[in-house]
Amino acid sequence: MQESKKLNQDKEKKHFSLTSLIFLSLIAGALTGIVFHYLVPAGYVRDTLFIDGIFYVLGQGFLRLMQMLVVPLVFSSLICGSAAVGDTATLGKIGLKTMVFYLATTALAITMAIVVGGVINPGTGLDTAHIKAEDISVSETVSIQETILNVIPKNPIASLADGDMLPIIIFAIFIGIILAKLGSNAGTVIDFFKQFNDIMMEMTDIVMKAAPVGVFCLIARTFAGIGFNAFFPLLKYMFAVLLALGIHCFIIYMILFKGFTSLSPVKFIRKFIPVMGFAFTTATSNATIPLSIETLERDMGISRKISSFTVPLGATINMDGTAIMQGVAVIFAAQAYGITLGLEQYLTVIATATLASIGTAGVPGVGLITLSMVFNSVGLPVEAIALIMGIDRIIDMTRTAVNITGDAVCTAIIAHQNGSLDRETFNEIKGE
Ligand code: ASP
């Protein structure tokens, strides 16, 4: 008894030192990147050996390991989760609440972003001569009808192979519901997925051990490549986006969290910050899914029954951070090109950006592509996107952290209402 307690304490200690390590490597990596950019002379050692050699291989290697987990983990834990919930009525209720929360917070996010943009005026007095406009290629957008239809997988194996999250979610829930109905008649299959899910959780733990090195290399390479001089003419735009992201993440989400769960928002942030750091580093919501599900379960006592559904769904359709960037970008472009927008156009922007958020995949940079859809809806020149493209990486990183925080807040609220949040685990403060 005593021994197992000690073992658990050791495990916790190890886990928490890993959490702190990830955070430290994030800061150390960013500083290293800046030093490489400004102080180390260009040449073989800096560029070939470090930036495109060691940093690239170790960073991408780690990212790939995380991406490797996503589809099998989501698939197996969603099957187990929906089998555990069992009845379709409860699943439907959870699904509906999640969708309402996701859409409502996105609409709120973009409205607030438009207000912040209106106050800061990011596009007035712009010194376009010093902005390095990038080439933009606007890919074709898929119609709403097709987007809805694409949720149903024609070939589930192909969806799994392509990592198409929405069809995977539908197929896995289907299997889970049927397994719950068949009960012991499908005992072997239920056991198989449970055990497979355990294997994937164990794999996540193992892969995370490489996180400090992976995060360091990813962030060092990113910062080594960012030219900070490009930020100056766009400081007002950056400030407006970051301010709106901060308000949404630390004020609006936390009010909702506290209001619905009466749990401590400070504890939530403290426990969730490594996941935010990971999303920031990688700028991909998708790759963050396994870490988010694991952290919500282990540190906050949130059952996978809920998170296995809400987290991947959120990573695919709930992009409040992206919507915020798009709201500020609309104001920026309108001011930069001297176009006046009326109330009707703002409402169109809110509606289109909310829909665009559903269509934005959780991978780096897609928010800028769907931004063209938002600009087109109110006749803003798509060329304006070129102006902000050069500095988008850092904003992409920050908005991804906000995107996945929104999914986690929704997950906590739904889990709390469903009786699937263990308050004791949530309130537990583990030593660093
Ligand atoms: N990188 C974002 C995400 O993965 C999407 C975007 O806004 O480009 O959540």
Side-chain angles (χ1 to χ4, degrees):
M1 191 72 183
Q2 279 263 312
E3 240 169 54
S4 84
K5 206 171 164 195
K6 189 167 175 305
L7 213 77
N8 271 345
Q9 276 174 350
D10 280 356
K11 235 177 154 184
E12 265 166 21
K13 227 171 148 187
K14 258 193 211 144
H15 154 58
F16 267 81
S17 55
L18 181 69
T19 304
S20 318
L21 260 181
I22 295 176
F23 210 69
L24 283 179
S25 46
L26 183 74
I27 295 165
L31 291 176
T32 310
I34 294 172
V35 168
F36 266 61
H37 186 88
Y38 286 104
L39 301 177
V40 181
Y44 176 79
V45 173
R46 186 189 83 168
D47 300 311
T48 314
L49 188 62
F50 277 98
I51 298 181
D52 291 328
I54 297 171
F55 292 166
Y56 179 68
V57 173
L58 293 182
Q60 288 299 317
F62 170 65
L63 186 56
R64 273 169 175 261
L65 282 172
M66 288 302 284
Q67 286 166 328
M68 170 183 86
L69 302 169
V70 176
V71 170
L73 183 95
V74 167
F75 190 58
S76 60
S77 68
L78 196 48
I79 289 177
C80 296
S82 42
V85 175
D87 67 307
T88 38
T90 314
L91 275 174
K93 226 165 96 188
I94 295 174
L96 191 70
K97 269 201 226 167
T98 310
M99 289 299 292
V100 169
F101 185 95
Y102 284 162
L103 292 179
T105 48
T106 308
L108 185 68
I110 180 154
T111 312
M112 185 267 295
I114 291 175
V115 173
V116 171
V119 172
I120 294 182
N121 297 320
T124 45
L126 199 67
D127 182 7
T128 36
H130 289 99
I131 299 178
K132 192 172 151 278
E134 310 272 327
D135 284 339
I136 44 163
S137 57
V138 178
S139 65
E140 272 179 40
T141 45
V142 188
S143 72
I144 298 197
Q145 294 91 317
E146 287 303 316
T147 312
I148 295 170
L149 279 176
N150 283 343
V151 169
I152 304 167
K154 262 201 246 171
N155 175 353
I157 307 295
S159 304
L160 285 166
D162 294 341
D164 276 345
M165 221 36 91
L166 294 181
I168 293 177
I169 290 174
I170 297 287
F171 188 60
I173 291 180
F174 238 121
I175 297 182
I177 292 170
I178 293 169
L179 287 181
K181 204 170 137 211
L182 294 179
S184 57
N185 284 338
T188 316
V189 180
I190 296 178
D191 284 346
F192 169 79
F193 279 115
K194 273 191 186 150
Q195 288 168 9
F196 188 69
N197 192 25
D198 288 345
I199 294 173
M200 291 317 299
M201 279 160 66
E202 186 65 32
M203 209 183 276
T204 311
D205 265 349
I206 297 172
V207 170
M208 278 316 287
K209 295 207 164 69
V213 177
V215 164
F216 177 87
C217 292
L218 280 168
I219 205 93
R221 185 164 189 272
T222 307
F223 272 71
I226 291 179
F228 289 92
N229 294 348
F231 291 170
F232 291 114
L234 291 160
L235 271 184
K236 268 208 299 184
Y237 166 76
M238 285 196 71
F239 177 68
V241 178
L242 296 179
L243 178 69
L245 288 174
I247 294 175
H248 198 63
C249 190
F250 297 113
I251 300 179
I252 297 182
Y253 281 155
M254 292 309 117
I255 291 175
L256 289 172
F257 179 77
K258 178 84 190 163
F260 279 105
T261 67
S262 67
L263 289 164
S264 155
V266 176
K267 273 190 193 144
F268 175 88
I269 295 282
R270 240 188 104 179
K271 294 186 172 199
F272 199 66
I273 215 148
V275 189
M276 292 165 86
F278 180 80
F280 178 80
T281 308
T282 58
T284 140
S285 295
N286 273 5
T288 316
I289 296 171
L291 181 62
S292 186
I293 292 180
E294 193 182 87
T295 307
L296 290 173
E297 182 179 49
R298 189 189 44 211
D299 298 341
M300 302 198 210
I302 293 172
S303 163
R304 279 168 188 254
K305 258 188 344 198
I306 305 295
S307 63
S308 63
F309 169 66
T310 50
V311 171
L313 182 69
T316 318
I317 68 161
N318 184 43
M319 307 274 175
D320 293 1
T322 305
I324 285 173
M325 173 279 285
Q326 295 183 339
V328 178
V330 162
I331 304 281
F332 168 82
Q335 290 175 343
Y337 284 81
I339 299 167
T340 317
L341 298 176
L343 181 66
E344 199 185 312
Q345 276 140 324
Y346 283 124
L347 292 177
T348 311
V349 167
I350 294 171
T352 329
T354 307
L355 288 178
S357 145
I358 299 177
T360 306
V363 289
V366 186
L368 271 197
I369 296 171
T370 47
L371 180 60
S372 61
M373 197 170 122
V374 180
F375 276 16
N376 277 332
S377 73
V378 286
L380 286 172
V382 176
E383 295 80 62
I385 299 177
L387 299 176
I388 50 177
M389 216 170 214
I391 54 129
D392 189 61
R393 177 71 191 186
I394 202 101
I395 288 180
D396 191 7
M397 292 158 81
T398 320
R399 69 178 179 250
T400 307
V402 176
N403 287 345
I404 55 106
T405 307
D407 308 337
V409 168
C410 171
T411 304
I413 292 174
I414 306 259
H416 163 75
Q417 294 181 339
N418 191 258
S420 303
L421 188 156
D422 177 24
R423 298 177 85 88
E424 213 173 290
T425 311
F426 184 93
N427 285 322
E428 213 175 320
I429 292 282
K430 298 167 183 169
E432 300 288 299

